[in-house]
Amino acid sequence: MALSWDQAVAKLVVALDTADASQVHGLVRTLTGRVGCFKVGLEAFTSLGPTIVEQLVAQGARVFLDLKLHDIPHTVERAAAACARLGVFMFNVHVAGGRQMLAAARAGAEAGTPPGAFRPLVLGVTLLTSLDEHALRELEIPGPPASTVLRWARLAREAGLDGVVCSAQELAPLRASLPRPFLLVTPGIRPAGSAPGDQKRTATPAAAVAAGADYLVVGRPITEAEDPARAAEGVLREMMEGG
């Protein structure tokens, strides 16, 4: 079934990868109504601090806090609780931290959520989309990326996470093995005809939606476009084609 415009908007996440607060707020103003969620990653968070998240949440924006938490379970549990107190829509942790750490992240999210409030979705990062099979060999992780992603995604579900971050190339086998409501969030999305940049495992919006992605993360093709609003609309139209 084809996606409606509103359904495509709800699935689109735009990465605010900048240290400039005025640029962050300008992009949010420009893209509100065309984007369902805004991703605040390491560059913005380490430069602007939790304040930028609090400001966006106060304005009614859904925030994906992309800090990829990875530490001992106790530390991750406390950090996850802090993420929940910020009121974010979702945040992520590295699956490579292991089962105990993943369970601690879920527990922290629950503990930090105020009574009656929405608990943020907790996502596991499997393999970064900048990694390919050559990079995995250097890390002494055997096999193709897809097999590692599937093993780690199953571990994330068993530990109580709501979903995983994965590339579009792993979407089909993951969706076949891990049906909804387990979420698949896919970065490395590049509109048809755009350059891949430093991403190795990319896909078009239409292909990602067709393969089962629940949320698509798009950064530079929108934020660095001459007209970000028009670029976002182009991505939405491609998403509707994939639905």
Side-chain angles (χ1 to χ4, degrees):
M1 181 181 295
L3 294 180
S4 69
W5 181 267
D6 288 343
Q7 288 172 326
V9 169
K11 288 176 174 286
L12 179 58
V13 181
V14 165
L16 303 173
D17 293 328
T18 175
D20 185 335
S22 62
Q23 185 179 8
V24 166
H25 289 295
L27 284 167
V28 171
R29 285 193 301 271
T30 297
L31 296 172
T32 292
R34 299 176 175 89
V35 171
C37 186
F38 294 94
K39 183 176 79 70
V40 174
L42 288 173
E43 181 180 4
F45 193 82
T46 56
S47 301
L48 306 172
T51 299
I52 192 64
V53 177
E54 293 169 338
Q55 290 172 343
L56 296 182
V57 170
Q59 294 166 14
R62 281 184 165 182
V63 174
F64 171 18
L65 187 54
D66 177 23
L67 301 183
K68 301 180 180 70
L69 303 177
H70 190 176
D71 212 309
I72 63 172
H74 178 71
T75 298
V76 167
E77 183 171 358
R78 292 170 67 89
C83 292
R85 286 193 293 271
L86 286 173
V88 301
F89 177 62
M90 55 188 176
F91 68 92
N92 57 11
V93 301
H94 269 293
V95 177
R99 185 186 302 270
Q100 187 179 356
M101 190 207 78
L102 299 176
R106 169 64 186 257
E110 292 175 348
T113 302
F118 170 84
R119 175 185 63 77
L121 301 170
V122 186
L123 306 173
V125 176
T126 52
L127 293 179
L128 301 175
T129 53
S130 58
L131 297 178
D132 55 14
E133 194 163 350
H134 173 73
L136 294 185
R137 285 198 300 270
E138 290 184 326
L139 294 169
E140 299 186 4
I141 299 177
S147 63
T148 299
V149 169
L150 182 56
R151 291 196 307 272
W152 289 9
R154 287 172 174 161
L155 175 61
R157 185 179 65 172
E158 292 168 5
L161 270 59
D162 299 292
V164 293
V165 180
C166 64
S167 89
Q169 294 182 18
E170 289 89 48
L171 278 170
L174 284 181
R175 184 49 79 208
S177 178
L178 301 166
R180 294 181 173 95
F182 194 75
L183 299 171
L184 302 180
V185 179
T186 305
I189 300 298
R190 292 292 182 265
S194 65
D198 57 358
Q199 305 281 6
K200 299 288 178 57
R201 299 177 355 260
T202 64
T204 65
V209 169
D214 295 292
Y215 294 97
L216 278 62
V217 182
V218 184
R220 286 166 286 184
I222 291 176
T223 60
E224 295 183 2
E226 184 176 345
D227 185 342
R230 184 175 179 181
E233 291 168 359
V235 171
L236 292 170
R237 284 191 289 271
E238 288 193 44
M239 291 170 66
M240 293 168 68
E241 292 171 4

